[in-house]
Structure formats: structure tokens, C-alpha cells
């Protein structure tokens, strides 16, 4: 994810009222609930979608981990590896998928926040790659 992902920011929790798009270097979002993620979106009841490509360095199983407060889902190569699309306090979710070295894989991460603290973080690792955001 060296070049970043396209981040789309929505003024609702259903990924339907797009306000803005930008390139985000990583998925590492946190708010204490007192700040909106981008201008034009409230402090609560919003959603985000990040999309782009990842290119693994090794041919092996990769573990994807999220920390989120509220809902999050992750698709790699159009396969859902994490689906925690519900209200919850900060929690860790994980899923794995076999990837081949040097191949570009599409990635899509969707997230929504209801009220209060907001967290959306994505990490990945493999037997040969340390955990990184």
C-alpha cells in the first residue's frame, strides 16, 4: 500500500451520500467522537470506503487484522476476509487469505461509525512479513 488507497467519505452510515474522496497512505483512523473525519461530515453517523491494490512480497498466507469501533469489512481479491458490520466497542477482527508474491490484488475496506469513539485500522502480516499498518 505504498502509494495509498482511495478513501471515500460519506455523510451517512450506508456508503451512499458521498462527500469527498482523497488518497490515504494507510487505514489508521481514530476520533474521540468530538471531531468529524472530513469537512462536510458530522461527528457521528458516517461511513468510509477505501479501495486500491496491495502487492505482497511473499507467496504465503497473509493475516489481515482490523481494530474498529463500529462496523468494518475487508475484501481482498473480491473475497470477504473480515465481516464485522455491526455496532460494537473497539474490537479486533482477523481473517486470512493466500496471496502470491508480486501480484496486485484489489482491496476494499468499508467502515461505519454510529456515535462516540471511532476507530478504523487495518494491519497485515505473514510468516515472512511483520505486522504493519
Amino acid at each position: 500500500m505504498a502509494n495509498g488507497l482511495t478513501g471515500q467519505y460519506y455523510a451517512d452510515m450506508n456508503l451512499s451520500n458521498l462527500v469527498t474522496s482523497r488518497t490515504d497512505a494507510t487505514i489508521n483512523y481514530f476520533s474521540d467522537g468530538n471531531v468529524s473525519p472530513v469537512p462536510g461530515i458530522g461527528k457521528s453517523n458516517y461511513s468510509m470506503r477505501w479501495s486500491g491494490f496491495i502487492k505482497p512480497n511473499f507467496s504465503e498466507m497473509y493475516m489481515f487484522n482490523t481494530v474498529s469501533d463500529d462496523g468494518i469489512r475487508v475484501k481482498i481479491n473480491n473475497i470477504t476476509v473480515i465481516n464485522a458490520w455491526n455496532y460494537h466497542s473497539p474490537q479486533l477482527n482477523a481473517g486470512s487469505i493466500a496471496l502470491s508474491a508480486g501480484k496486485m490484488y484489489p482491496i476494499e475496506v468499508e467502515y461505519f461509525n454510529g456515535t462516540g469513539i471511532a476507530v478504523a485500522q487495518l494491519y497485515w502480516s505473514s510468516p515472512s512479513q511483520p505486522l504493519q499498518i
Side-chain angles (χ1 to χ4, degrees), residues 4 7 18 33-34 36 49 54 61 70-71 73 75 86 95 98 113:
L18 181 64
N34 294 314
S36 69
R49 177 183 290 127
I54 56 172
M61 290 296 291
D70 290 307
R73 52 188 168 214
K75 289 183 183 179
N86 54 25
N113 181 59

Side-chain angles (χ1 to χ4, degrees), residues 52-68:
F53 294 89
I54 56 172
K55 184 178 176 183
N57 291 322
F58 309 98
S59 294
E60 54 196 10
M61 290 296 291
Y62 279 79
M63 179 68 69
F64 288 83
N65 298 287
T66 60
V67 177
S68 67

Side-chain angles (χ1 to χ4, degrees), residues 8 14 19 44-45 52 61 76 82 86 91 94 111 117 126-128:
Q8 297 174 303
N14 303 315
V19 172
S44 58
N45 301 312
M61 290 296 291
I76 309 294
I82 295 173
N86 54 25
Q91 73 179 30
Y111 165 76
I117 292 173
S126 75
S128 303

